[in-house]
């Protein structure tokens, strides 16, 4: 085994804020996870991962952007569930949605079966037009090209339930890959790529940390620790990596962070609180992460 992997899980707008706050706090403590050999991003983590690997954004700059008032960041309202020009209400993904997803998971034989069920839900849902949502993702990213550093972005085929991990060799554009990874079933439209429809990579797993198998040192930053039925959570995936000989640390939100998220992870008004909570929580993990990440 060799190399390092940073795994960034899904978790809505509050997940983006918390991940960035966590990474900024760790960097302040002298632990720079942005030098990972590979970054694996799922949903919210795909946005954070794209910014990290692009080289166009500093962590402190990303953190400051999370603290800005939602209205100071035009174009992101619809991506994250706020209002854009007052045209439609905030999207929601709270306890009710998660409970519904969990119930479907418990009725599913495996992750592929669950993915296909969630795909049917997504394809039947009435959402914003696909082109509109893609434009929002493009404005959120502000970058178009895959980075030189290795980035993997997860998504699930809505028809088959199979997971894939897009990268610069996949033939899919960065914006399209991120849009697919962020396509929460029932909230945002599935993304059409080469005739297939794709939904949120978090449908397979909230973190998809299993994709880091084979790397010697792995840090998983997962805003959602959910599991149920056939769906593995980040802690069980981390434990499996450890049994394979990987040095691994899994970080999930503490009680204060979960409180900061509120009841709707797509609420842009909670993003700043989540970022601050992530930065505060980073101090509790710095020593353990240093032991894992140090060569």
């Amino acid at each position: 085994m060799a190399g390092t992997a940073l795994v960034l899980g899904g978790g809505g707008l509050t997940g983006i804020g918390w991940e960035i706050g966590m990474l900024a706090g760790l960097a302040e403590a002298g632990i720079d996870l942005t030098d990972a050999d590979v970054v694996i991003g799922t949903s919210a983590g795909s946005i954070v991962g794209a910014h990290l690997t692009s080289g166009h954004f500093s962590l402190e700059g990303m953190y400051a952007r999370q603290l800005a008032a939602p209205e100071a960041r035009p174009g992101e309202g619809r991506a994250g569930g706020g209002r854009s020009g007052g045209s439609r209400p905030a999207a929601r993904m709270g306890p009710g949605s998660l409970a519904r997803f969990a119930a479907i998971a418990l009725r599913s034989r495996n992750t592929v079966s669950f993915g296909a069920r969630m795909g049917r839900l997504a394809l039947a849902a009435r959402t914003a037009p696909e082109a509109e949502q893609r434009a929002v993702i493009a404005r959120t990213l502000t970058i178009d090209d895959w980075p030189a550093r290795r980035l993997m972005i997860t998504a699930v085929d809505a028809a088959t339930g199979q997971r894939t991990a897009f990268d610069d060799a996949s033939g899919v554009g960065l914006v399209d890959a991120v849009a697919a990874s962020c396509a929460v079933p029932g909230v945002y439209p599935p993304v059409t790529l080469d005739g297939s429809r794709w939904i949120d990579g978090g449908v397979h797993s909230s973190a998809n940390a299993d994709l880091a198998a084979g790397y010697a040192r792995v840090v998983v930053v997962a805003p959602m620790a959910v599991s149920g039925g056939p769906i593995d959570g980040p802690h069980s995936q981390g434990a499996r990596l450890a049994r394979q000989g990987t040095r691994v640390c899994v970080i999930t939100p503490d009680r204060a962070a979960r409180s900061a998220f509120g009841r709707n992870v797509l609420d842009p008004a909670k993003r700043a609180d989540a970022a601050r909570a992530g930065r505060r929580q980073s101090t509790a993990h710095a020593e353990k992460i240093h032991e894992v990440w140090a060569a």
Side-chain angles (χ1 to χ4, degrees):
M1 286 187 177
T4 56
L6 173 61
V7 178
L8 300 170
L13 274 188
T14 57
I16 292 173
W18 179 79
E19 286 181 347
I20 291 172
M22 176 66 65
L23 294 170
L26 290 171
E28 186 178 33
I31 306 165
D32 183 9
L33 299 182
T34 67
D35 63 359
D37 293 313
V38 64
V39 175
I40 299 166
T42 292
S43 199
S46 71
I47 292 176
V48 178
H51 283 161
L52 285 180
T53 55
S54 72
H56 297 167
F57 306 90
S58 70
L59 272 174
E60 285 301 328
M62 291 168 62
Y63 181 72
R65 196 162 179 254
Q66 294 305 301
L67 301 186
E71 59 270 19
R73 300 176 63 185
E76 290 196 7
R78 296 182 187 184
R83 291 181 181 269
S84 179
S87 59
R88 61 186 169 91
R92 290 196 61 83
M93 190 172 73
S97 299
L98 294 176
R100 182 185 184 190
F101 296 168
I104 296 174
L106 291 172
R107 297 197 302 271
S108 302
R109 298 185 308 277
N110 50 44
T111 54
V112 173
S113 170
F114 176 62
R117 287 173 182 261
M118 292 295 285
R120 289 194 292 272
L121 183 156
L123 293 169
R126 295 181 61 185
T127 64
E130 183 179 338
E132 179 181 307
Q133 183 62 17
R134 185 193 185 280
V136 172
I137 293 294
R139 290 195 297 271
T140 300
L141 282 181
T142 70
I143 48 178
D144 298 320
D145 299 324
W146 285 92
R149 294 174 53 206
R150 184 147 196 244
L151 172 66
M152 299 169 65
I153 293 177
T154 66
V156 169
D157 188 312
T160 67
Q162 296 280 354
R163 179 190 65 184
T164 197
F166 297 117
D167 60 18
D168 63 346
S170 63
V172 170
L174 177 64
V175 173
D176 292 316
V178 171
S181 192
C182 293
V184 181
V187 179
Y188 301 128
V191 172
T192 305
L193 300 172
D194 295 328
S196 296
R197 308 293 301 280
W198 297 88
I199 58 175
D200 197 311
V203 166
H204 185 89
S205 161
S206 64
N208 291 292
D210 60 300
L211 292 174
Y215 285 88
R217 291 168 283 145
V218 175
V219 171
V220 181
V221 183
M224 288 186 171
V226 294
S227 61
I231 308 303
D232 272 348
H235 287 291
S236 60
Q237 290 183 334
R240 189 172 299 114
L241 290 173
R243 289 194 294 272
Q244 295 168 1
T246 297
R247 293 162 59 186
V248 60
C249 181
V250 178
I251 312 168
T252 55
D254 60 14
R255 182 176 297 179
R258 293 194 301 271
S259 178
F261 293 172
R263 295 179 62 81
N264 177 17
V265 300
L266 298 177
D267 184 356
K270 294 292 186 181
R271 186 184 59 222
D273 288 342
R276 294 187 185 99
R279 191 154 197 160
R280 286 193 298 269
Q281 188 183 344
S282 68
T283 60
H285 301 279
E287 183 177 351
K288 183 176 180 181
I289 293 174
H290 177 74
E291 293 174 357
V292 168
W293 207 247

